[in-house]
Amino acid sequence: MLDPVFISIQILRVKELPVSIEKVIEDWDGELSCCRFDRDTGAFFTVAIHSRRLGPAAGGTRAMNYAGFDAAVEDATRLASAMTLKMIMADLPMGGGKSTIALPKARRDISADHWDQILKVHAEMLKSLGGNYWTGPDVGTSSEDMDSLHASSGYAFGRSVGAGGPGSSAPETAHGVYVSMIEAIHDAGISDLRGRRVVIQGLGAVGYDVAQRAAMDGAHVVAADPNEAQCKRAADELGVEVIPTDQVLSQTSDVFVPCATGGIVDDSVARSIRTKAIAGAANNVLASESAGDELARRGIVYAPDFVANGGGAIHLVGREVLGWSAEMVSRHVLEIGHTLEQIFARARAEGVGAERAARRIAAERVR
Ligand code: NAI
Ligand code: PHE
């Protein structure tokens, strides 16, 4: 149980907050959300614990220059809920949580000293949570940042190998996404990726690895990323066809692989996207449940993100909590394919989209 003193700071009012933050928390079914503004660094911190029913909550720390504090709180709460589903579906003994840091400027413009100060404040929050929440890397944070957070709080997964951790979660996340793409295209009646058109949004740590796997299978890989150097590398090394970022959603593909940010498939995209299957790493790909229903109505196979991107959580929790070897982690990641098979079968049997079917299975597993 959480310390009662801690519960009493459920929303730590250090600044006059817009009403929408209250609305975000009111509408959320999580256990705890705590926010802190730090005047010295100009950063706004949120830790959201969605559920500790299956174990201490875990989820990465996302650091970005958000549009506003309300957006950072909303992101933390939605991502924390997705982490609960991810842990259940990957059969890991952890609950769901997430932290966000709303930076006063873009991450690349934050100096090393400023960043160290920001991490110190975040570590204080982690420490005060006393192990009810464990963090890990996410967008804007790295294994090296986890080294520092772990050293000062004791509650960070994903430290670098040199610091005694299991290193980046991205390779196993990409492995799981690849397994999910294969399962999704099978469900769409396609036997393999050879000669198929794979459109990838985001060529970061996960997206680039997925592009490599798809290219090795003989797919025609089309990808977009605002990072020009990364696009050039993908074109030169993997033969990827690079397209502008604003053309991703209008492409025709056999499989669409979102590996950038969430919320990209809204109702209108679900009505218009020309693909046979969607499987990617981005958390919360669907902007609404109705978008998932529309994909199902149009016969587009959708691999729910909280299943498809579970490889990173399996790597971190498997290595650091369950004491698994790298081989055991890889075997567990392969199980994502079987889980998706179950989800697709259930979706068909009950005439609902895969996202709804997966949520039903998760609810039953918890019961
Ligand atoms: P990353 O930060 O290395 O890569 C993200 C890439 O997306 C960057 O190269 C960025 O330039 C690009 N991007 C941003 N906006 C874009 C746009 N509009 N169009 C195209 N590209 C755009 O992050 P990483 O680790 O590759 O993760 C990708 C996604 O998967 C993130 O949403 C992350 O939360 C999620 N995820 C990652 C896991 C991991 O283990 N790394 C685990 C589970 C989920
Ligand atoms: N941030 C990653 C995710 O969304 C990896 C992670 C998993 C971080 C579990 C912490 C705990 O899955």
Side-chain angles (χ1 to χ4, degrees), residues 58-61 83 86-87 98 134-138 157 169 283 309 312-313 316-317:
T61 295
M83 287 307 301
K86 194 179 302 191
M87 297 299 182
K98 201 89 179 185
W134 283 71
T135 195
D138 201 83
F157 291 136
S169 53
N283 285 300
N309 71 16
L316 298 176
V317 177

Side-chain angles (χ1 to χ4, degrees), residues 84-277:
T84 299
L85 290 166
K86 194 179 302 191
M87 297 299 182
I88 295 168
M89 296 309 284
D91 208 9
L92 297 169
M94 302 292 288
K98 201 89 179 185
S99 34
T100 55
I101 306 178
L103 301 170
K105 50 189 166 184
R107 174 69 186 87
R108 64 177 171 276
D109 298 328
I110 303 262
S111 70
D113 282 354
H114 190 178
W115 182 240
D116 282 350
Q117 277 307 112
I118 289 172
L119 289 180
K120 275 205 183 89
V121 177
H122 190 38
E124 276 172 25
M125 284 178 94
L126 296 175
K127 213 167 167 185
S128 71
L129 283 161
N132 282 290
Y133 170 68
W134 283 71
T135 195
D138 201 83
V139 175
T141 56
S142 62
S143 288
E144 288 66 34
D145 297 330
M146 295 308 125
D147 297 347
S148 143
L149 287 175
H150 191 83
S152 35
S153 74
Y155 300 117
F157 291 136
R159 279 167 296 152
S160 57
V161 175
S168 170
S169 53
E172 283 300 347
T173 301
H175 179 199
V177 170
Y178 172 76
V179 168
S180 304
M181 284 163 67
I182 299 297
E183 200 57 49
I185 61 165
H186 285 173
D187 202 69
I190 300 170
S191 59
D192 58 45
L193 287 174
R194 179 164 301 278
R196 297 292 174 174
R197 196 171 162 89
V198 174
V199 173
I200 303 180
Q201 184 180 43
L203 284 169
V206 177
Y208 193 91
D209 190 326
V210 173
Q212 205 160 16
R213 290 168 189 267
M216 275 177 67
D217 277 6
H220 176 77
V221 182
V222 179
D225 196 301
N227 181 333
E228 286 176 19
Q230 195 68 344
C231 288
K232 183 171 177 338
R233 190 177 148 223
D236 294 348
E237 290 178 6
L238 310 175
V240 165
E241 177 190 337
V242 174
I243 55 165
T245 53
D246 60 0
Q247 285 180 21
V248 166
L249 296 170
S250 56
Q251 292 291 309
T252 298
S253 65
D254 291 293
V255 54
F256 171 53
V257 190
C259 290
T261 47
I264 42 145
V265 179
D266 58 15
D267 290 352
S268 138
V269 171
R271 278 194 298 272
S272 61
I273 193 164
R274 285 172 295 159
T275 191
K276 299 190 176 87

Side-chain angles (χ1 to χ4, degrees), residues 176-177 179-185 187 255-256 258 276-282 285-286 295 300-309 336 340-341 343-344 353-355 358:
V177 170
V179 168
S180 304
M181 284 163 67
I182 299 297
E183 200 57 49
I185 61 165
D187 202 69
V255 54
F256 171 53
K276 299 190 176 87
I278 301 178
V285 166
L286 299 179
L295 291 177
I300 296 172
V301 180
Y302 174 69
D305 48 74
F306 53 83
V307 179
N309 71 16
I336 289 175
L340 285 173
E341 232 178 305
I343 292 168
F344 296 150
E355 172 98 359

